[in-house]
Amino acid sequence: MTGRPIPTELATRLAADLTASGAGRAAVVAPFTGEVSHELPRSTPADVEAAAAGARAAQRAWAARSPAARRRILLRAHGLLLERRELLLDAVQTETGKTRGQAFEEIFNAAAATRYAAVAAPGVLRERPRRAGIPLVIRTRVGFEPKGLVGIITPWNYPLSLAVMDAAPALATGNAVLMKADDQGALSILLARRAFLDAGVPAGLWPVVAGPGAEIGSAVIDAADAVCFTGSTATGRTVAQRAAGRLVSASLELGGKNPVIVLDDADPERAAADVAAACFAAAGQLCVSAERVIVERGIADAFVPAFAARVASLRLGTGYDYRSDVGSLATAAQLERVTAHIDDAVAKGAAVLAGGRHRPELGPYVVEPTVLADVTADMACHAEETFGPVVAVTVVADAREAVRLANEGEFGLNASIMSGSRARARRVARGLLAGSVNINEGYRATFSSLDAPMGGMKQSGLGRRNGREGLLRFVESRTVAEATGLLQLPRTGEEYARMSGPMLLLLRALGTLRRR
């Protein structure tokens, strides 16, 4: 199928769905052309306050609906996302510059996250009994209450999937959503939101605002009862501090310098293809893509040339079809950062094994997928997150050294292992300090496993999205315990003296039986 850029008139209609009072407009540039695609109205802090008030009012009625009723609405939204996939693909490509195939990954994950939240939430949130401190004498149950208003601050690189992966579970658990969209991803979010509204989500329950992060993002944090942020570690620290000042929870997925380890029992050609996919999805503008390739010496002579050849063969393009393997960087700022990292590495002695060039004849922000060798600690791309199509290859003596090198640095978001033995790869995985580890895949194995938590260790974030953990971050637990009347608990000194012996006997018996 072949798409097209989002027409200006459609972009204008979508932009009108933003909560914005007309305090100026922002021009959004299309990555494929470098020309202005459309304009977005700017929100103000007062707009954020108004949107938050409306969302809180809508949330009370939404939370009062049964989990089954919310499930039906979200499953309709799942169906509408799939029905409208071609238009969503056009929007994602228009805003991000990625290939159509990589835009399809966003559709897949957004729909899958919506379905998972709809189906899983009723079971996760069901009130259940818990073991009491004194069985039979005390009966205990735990239930959950929505936090209320969830503030979600989304990035530009995966605007559709990352927005829905937070919004859908927030809605499924009975909350309202106040979303701050990046200018470069607002249309994709607004199109997805329309699918949810058409499915039955009240319009006021999910307002979207846009504007400068320091001003509008801060206003969202100040209005919310819980915050979700995806972005850089530096900004994430600021978000966490502001949320902590209000004692509201913050779920943060932050930066990464993700390693992929190639063990010496891997098939060189297959590993080369898999590692290339791990490194250059969305032109490397993906929080979980690999920027470091660590290769055991026993396979290096076969793998490294195969990897360089595979990368050199990737098809670059800026078309609205499936003919390209790698698309464009999203912005001029991204182009400047990526080319600066390449130029710095080459000037300091790094060898270019593949790529390395800006290709303006293909698109203003297109850079060839680049493989570097001999990268040293004084180069910017050694430890800093490039967030672009640049990867460094390092050869190590064995798997032990590979794990040590993979664990270096401040990040711990994603890692992957290529091996001919999944059992061996699992043993290696146990030593990696990363929130997600993929075996014989770059990132999609864990990214698509929506029943499993996803998040980072070290400076790569706080909290987890997806799975039971991702749903529970949007609710407060409430414990209700009752005395059954079978036995009166002691209240006076005399009663304690009489009951302490039987209570100690109970504790010893439970310990012997290994009962909780």
Side-chain angles (χ1 to χ4, degrees):
M1 300 286 293
T2 300
R4 60 171 185 159
I6 289 291
T8 302
E9 60 272 18
L10 175 57
T12 301
R13 291 200 304 272
L14 288 170
D17 289 345
L18 288 169
T19 301
S21 57
R25 304 183 72 82
V28 180
V29 172
F32 283 170
T33 65
E35 299 173 353
V36 174
S37 168
H38 55 279
E39 292 186 339
L40 290 175
R42 309 299 264 176
S43 303
T44 66
D47 293 327
V48 175
E49 289 182 14
R56 286 189 182 280
Q59 188 268 337
R60 288 189 285 272
W62 178 252
R65 298 194 191 194
S66 69
R70 295 196 295 265
R71 177 179 60 200
R72 286 192 294 271
I73 291 172
L74 293 181
L75 287 176
R76 285 199 292 270
H78 168 270
L80 290 175
L81 289 173
L82 297 180
E83 286 180 19
R84 300 173 185 181
R85 64 189 179 280
E86 294 301 324
L87 185 56
L88 286 164
L89 288 169
D90 292 346
V92 170
Q93 286 199 275
T94 296
E95 293 186 301
T96 67
K98 64 183 61 172
T99 68
R100 204 157 187 86
Q102 288 150 12
F104 179 80
E105 286 189 6
E106 290 220 51
I107 307 297
F108 182 96
N109 278 289
T114 302
R115 186 186 68 253
Y116 177 83
V119 174
V124 171
L125 300 183
R126 187 177 299 119
E127 186 177 276
R128 288 184 170 86
R130 298 286 182 94
R131 176 170 287 276
I134 307 176
L136 303 179
V137 177
I138 300 294
R139 183 176 293 128
T140 303
R141 299 186 70 84
V142 174
F144 301 96
E145 188 74 17
K147 289 198 171 180
L149 179 62
V150 177
I152 301 176
I153 303 174
T154 64
W156 50 263
N157 61 318
Y158 271 68
L160 174 63
S161 58
L162 292 177
V164 174
M165 288 170 78
D166 284 337
L171 294 171
T173 49
N175 296 278
V177 167
L178 173 59
M179 183 168 286
K180 191 272 180 190
D182 189 280
D183 291 348
Q184 204 67 39
L187 296 186
S188 299
I189 292 170
L190 292 169
L191 267 175
R193 175 180 176 271
R194 282 197 175 186
F196 280 76
L197 268 54
D198 291 345
V201 170
L205 193 69
W206 182 358
V208 181
V209 295
E215 180 182 29
I216 303 305
S218 296
V220 168
I221 297 168
D222 292 344
D225 302 310
V227 177
C228 299
F229 171 80
T230 304
S232 72
T233 295
T235 304
R237 292 190 183 107
T238 301
V239 171
Q241 289 168 359
R242 196 173 191 102
R246 298 186 54 245
L247 294 181
V248 299
S249 62
S251 174
L252 313 173
E253 185 187 307
L254 308 178
K257 193 70 177 175
N258 306 306
V260 52
I261 295 173
V262 183
L263 298 177
D264 58 12
D265 58 2
D267 176 87
E269 294 291 338
R270 178 173 179 175
D274 288 339
V275 174
C279 297
F280 301 115
Q285 299 169 118
L286 173 60
C287 54
V288 290
S289 65
E291 293 193 9
R292 297 183 290 155
V293 179
I294 304 168
V295 188
E296 275 197 288
R297 182 168 292 123
I299 197 176
D301 289 345
F303 169 80
V304 174
F307 178 52
R310 177 75 180 196
V311 173
S313 73
L314 295 174
R315 295 171 296 179
L316 279 68
T318 53
Y320 288 82
D321 52 43
Y322 289 95
R323 290 182 291 182
S324 301
D325 303 317
V326 179
S328 173
L329 294 171
T331 64
Q334 280 296 102
L335 173 66
E336 181 179 357
R337 179 178 179 84
V338 169
T339 54
H341 272 209
I342 295 172
D343 292 344
D344 171 73
V346 171
K348 293 175 180 174
V352 178
L353 304 184
R357 296 182 298 161
H358 177 208
R359 297 292 298 276
E361 75 278 12
L362 299 177
Y365 310 141
V366 174
V367 174
E368 292 176 339
T370 301
V371 180
L372 301 175
D374 305 322
V375 169
T376 55
D378 62 333
M379 300 174 187
C381 69
H382 177 265
E384 294 179 23
E385 185 179 28
T386 302
F387 215 64
V390 179
V391 62
V393 176
T394 303
V395 178
V396 297
D398 53 30
R400 184 186 298 272
E401 186 181 356
V403 169
R404 180 191 62 76
L405 194 60
N407 288 338
E408 283 187 350
E410 64 177 346
F411 299 117
L413 184 58
N414 188 62
S416 51
I417 303 165
M418 305 297 165
S419 175
S421 166
R422 294 198 305 275
R424 183 187 178 203
R426 287 193 293 270
R427 291 194 296 272
V428 172
R430 295 187 190 106
L432 292 173
L433 299 177
S436 299
V437 181
N438 303 262
I439 292 174
N440 292 333
E441 236 297 318
Y443 63 89
R444 292 173 297 188
T446 53
F447 197 74
S448 64
S449 297
L450 294 170
D451 195 36
M454 173 188 175
M457 297 183 182
K458 298 191 284 187
Q459 296 298 302
S460 288
L462 294 172
R464 295 292 186 267
R465 62 157 53 100
N466 297 344
R468 178 182 178 88
E469 294 85 347
L471 289 162
L472 291 177
R473 63 188 167 145
F474 297 124
V475 294
E476 299 284 6
S477 62
R478 178 172 51 228
T479 299
V480 177
E482 60 190 66
T484 65
L486 182 65
L487 181 69
Q488 176 61 59
L489 294 178
R491 295 161 297 188
T492 66
E494 182 180 349
E495 290 173 344
Y496 271 105
R498 187 168 60 248
M499 291 295 298
S500 60
M503 292 174 73
L504 288 172
L505 182 63
L506 173 64
L507 288 173
R508 291 191 180 100
L510 291 174
T512 301
L513 296 172
R514 299 182 181 180
R515 300 293 298 273
R516 289 180 294 166

